[in-house]
Amino acid sequence: MRSSDVTPFTMGPALLFCPADRPERFGKAADRSDAVILDLEDAVAPADKPGARAAILEQMGTGGLDPQRTIVRVNPVGTPEFELDLEALAKTPYRTVMLAKAEGAEQLTALEGYQVIALCETAAGIVNASAIAAEPNVVGLMWGAEDLLASLGGLSSRNDDGGYRAVALHSRSAVLLAAKAAGKEAIDSVYVNIPDLEGLVAESRDAVASGFGAKACIHPNQVAVVREAYAPTDEAVAQAMELLEAAASAGTGVFQFKGKMIDGPILKHAQATLRRAGH
């Protein structure tokens, strides 16, 4: 797949994981989110993976999910389960795949013909994030905190106060920078403390402000929080429009607006606000 053949990733901002062995949840997950991630990896016990693949195929007969809003997370390259996942996917219209535990650019050749979200969730995946992002069939990168710490021999990605440990913050930034440097989308990791919606609010707002284009969710209750974080307020939209109108009138690279110096980066912030508002 050439770069010109890859459609930019536009799903989001709230991506909702759904175990692939729970077909009764497929439609609900899709209805409640911007895109559903049918999970064939961690959410499914080894003994249930054949049934999970069968469930994805069986729901095709009832109309199926919208391929433009459906992602399938497959097992890591090099595992027998990965090959079986691809055999099943070939019989579906789903062509956006999340590759679990992506660790090197060479792995992406196994997914030729698919648009891939590479999930960097091991030490090797973080270190090789830039090379992975540069692959033509990669449309985005996501990072995973808990699998990463497990790959390091650590115990938890977060401190007692709920904030990320330094190595997790570094990895989050590394994936964001690698994705954006390659012109691809970046997706923020899940927030595993489901009842802590206040913590999710803070982390989602930080994801928006940092440049992540979407955030993954593990429970339907998290979707509204993520959507609200990504949706600019009416006031923010009005301010962005006013600023851009002033820039057009100024006709110069740098100008003053309401007592502040305005230049290119600030105008890009305003443009990003309007994009998130659908303008």
Side-chain angles (χ1 to χ4, degrees):
M1 182 180 289
R2 300 166 304 185
S3 299
S4 59
D5 297 328
V6 178
T7 302
F9 182 81
T10 57
M11 300 182 197
L15 314 180
L16 180 59
F17 276 101
C18 180
D21 61 344
R22 300 298 300 270
E24 73 279 6
R25 297 183 183 178
F26 290 1
K28 294 178 181 178
D31 289 342
R32 296 178 184 181
S33 63
D34 297 303
V36 62
I37 305 170
L38 301 181
D39 191 1
L40 287 167
E41 197 223 4
D42 281 348
V44 181
D48 296 330
K49 290 184 188 290
R53 285 186 284 266
I56 291 177
L57 294 175
E58 288 170 4
Q59 61 89 32
M60 300 302 303
T62 59
L65 301 173
D66 180 358
Q68 303 304 314
R69 297 179 53 242
T70 303
I71 303 162
V72 180
R73 177 160 76 165
V74 297
N75 287 276
V77 172
T79 65
E81 299 293 349
F82 173 78
E83 299 300 332
L84 294 171
D85 291 346
L86 286 193
E87 288 181 17
L89 273 177
K91 302 172 185 177
T92 77
Y94 306 134
R95 288 298 176 268
T96 302
V97 171
M98 179 177 287
L99 176 60
K101 297 176 178 63
E103 294 194 323
E106 69 282 354
Q107 294 178 334
L108 277 302
T109 60
L111 286 165
E112 185 177 358
Y114 292 91
Q115 299 190 99
V116 183
I117 301 167
L119 180 46
C120 301
E121 52 184 342
T122 66
I126 300 299
V127 170
N128 295 322
S130 293
I132 293 169
E135 287 299 298
N137 58 338
V138 171
V139 294
L141 296 185
M142 179 174 157
W143 77 290
E146 298 311 320
D147 278 293
L148 169 64
L149 266 292
S151 82
L152 298 174
L155 301 178
S156 172
S157 67
R158 296 183 185 268
N159 297 305
D160 293 341
D161 64 1
Y164 279 124
R165 298 185 187 280
V167 67
L169 285 174
H170 167 81
S171 301
R172 183 177 188 242
S173 298
V175 167
L176 174 61
L177 290 168
K180 296 297 182 171
K184 311 296 176 68
E185 194 52 271
I187 300 167
D188 200 20
S189 187
V190 299
Y191 192 79
V192 298
N193 190 350
I194 296 172
D196 181 21
L197 295 182
E198 288 187 6
L200 177 61
V201 167
E203 190 164 288
S204 299
R205 287 176 176 170
D206 181 75
V208 176
S210 298
F212 285 96
K215 186 169 180 62
C217 304
I218 55 173
H219 192 278
N221 289 347
Q222 296 180 325
V223 170
V225 174
V226 171
R227 281 176 169 168
E228 184 175 359
Y230 273 84
T233 64
D234 291 343
E235 182 182 4
V237 171
Q239 290 176 349
M241 294 180 70
E242 185 180 4
L243 177 59
L244 292 174
E245 289 172 359
S249 298
T252 60
V254 179
F255 65 98
Q256 285 192 16
F257 179 72
K258 295 185 177 180
K260 296 181 180 180
M261 186 196 79
I262 305 297
D263 58 7
I266 294 177
L267 294 178
K268 288 182 178 180
H269 296 329
Q271 292 165 350
T273 295
L274 294 185
R275 283 197 300 271
R276 286 193 287 111
H279 287 263

